[in-house]
Amino acid sequence: EYTCSFLPKFSIHIETKYEDNNGSNDNIFDSEAKDVERDVCFIDIAYDEIPERYYKDSEDLRYFKSEKTQRGMLKEGWREAQKPIMCSYKLVTVKFEVWGLQTRVEQFVHKVIRDILMIGHRQAFAWVDEWYDMTMDDVRNYEKNMHEQTNIKVWFDQPSTNTPSTNEIQSDGNTST
């Protein structure tokens, strides 16, 4: 969940559930908020268009094939033919309770989140050879290193004359991304 202290009427909530199917479960979130109107959006990580600035040949799943798992190249109709397959279901709730702007802002945020999720899931598939053999300890170490690198980048990208040293950044337990 994301909220913003200076926009108290704005929030984003994303709930995720995974199932071993191709997106065929229409009722995965039905136990929560049965009387809420929903728009269902299927994301095809191989064939839906992505913003041009995010496109990379190496992440084009129509042409990518994993060396370790032999999964890929995703051809038209891959959701019906691909085995194994997993679906990541997302329930995205956006609230922006400001008269006159609510609908436009909520629609914009939904589009941006859709793009982010599609790009992230494309990358998860395209990068499978990098993470496939990782143990849970490997994953935790990778996360820790990425957290530290992100903190360094955030610190050094800020316009400031008092740039801290790398040791200060890494030891600052209050720094968050």
Side-chain angles (χ1 to χ4, degrees):
E1 180 160 309
Y2 172 81
T3 57
C4 184
S5 61
F6 60 88
L7 288 172
K9 297 184 180 219
F10 176 65
S11 66
I12 301 170
H13 180 84
I14 303 174
E15 184 177 349
T16 303
K17 292 185 180 182
Y18 301 97
E19 281 193 350
D20 294 330
N21 61 48
N22 64 355
S24 58
N25 186 346
D26 294 334
N27 300 314
I28 193 159
F29 293 108
D30 268 2
S31 62
E32 301 91 3
K34 286 185 186 266
D35 52 344
V36 175
E37 181 183 331
R38 295 191 188 142
D39 291 327
V40 177
C41 176
F42 288 97
I43 296 177
D44 184 332
I45 60 173
Y47 286 89
D48 284 357
E49 287 192 33
I50 63 169
E52 188 176 327
R53 68 183 177 273
Y54 295 118
Y55 179 83
K56 294 181 183 172
D57 287 338
S58 63
E59 296 171 3
D60 191 329
L61 305 183
R62 297 169 299 172
Y63 309 109
F64 166 80
K65 182 159 183 138
S66 166
E67 292 177 16
K68 291 184 179 180
T69 68
Q70 297 303 305
R71 294 180 189 146
M73 298 185 265
L74 299 180
K75 300 296 178 198
E76 239 358 292
W78 67 270
R79 286 181 48 203
E80 303 305 322
Q82 187 72 32
K83 301 288 185 224
I85 193 167
M86 178 188 73
C87 183
S88 173
Y89 293 89
K90 308 286 185 183
L91 179 60
V92 179
T93 307
V94 179
K95 293 182 182 175
F96 186 70
E97 298 167 350
V98 176
W99 188 85
L101 295 174
Q102 181 174 3
T103 301
R104 293 180 80 181
V105 170
E106 288 177 359
Q107 288 174 343
F108 174 76
V109 171
H110 274 287
K111 186 201 176 314
V112 170
I113 289 172
R114 181 189 188 285
D115 289 348
I116 290 168
L117 293 173
M118 183 168 46
I119 292 161
H121 286 84
R122 282 174 64 105
Q123 290 173 336
F125 190 93
W127 299 351
V128 66
D129 289 343
E130 295 178 33
W131 57 260
Y132 185 73
D133 295 325
M134 290 177 119
T135 66
M136 214 40 178
D137 287 339
D138 294 337
V139 171
R140 296 295 175 240
N141 286 331
Y142 179 82
E143 289 173 337
K144 181 178 180 266
N145 290 337
M146 287 294 103
H147 179 79
E148 290 171 358
Q149 289 177 22
T150 301
N151 285 345
I152 290 168
K153 182 168 179 44
V154 168
W155 273 97
F156 287 107
D157 283 353
Q158 292 182 13
S160 172
T161 56
N162 298 327
T163 304
S165 70
T166 304
N167 289 337
E168 290 174 304
I169 296 168
Q170 291 175 346
S171 65
D172 184 358
N174 296 324
T175 304
S176 62
T177 57

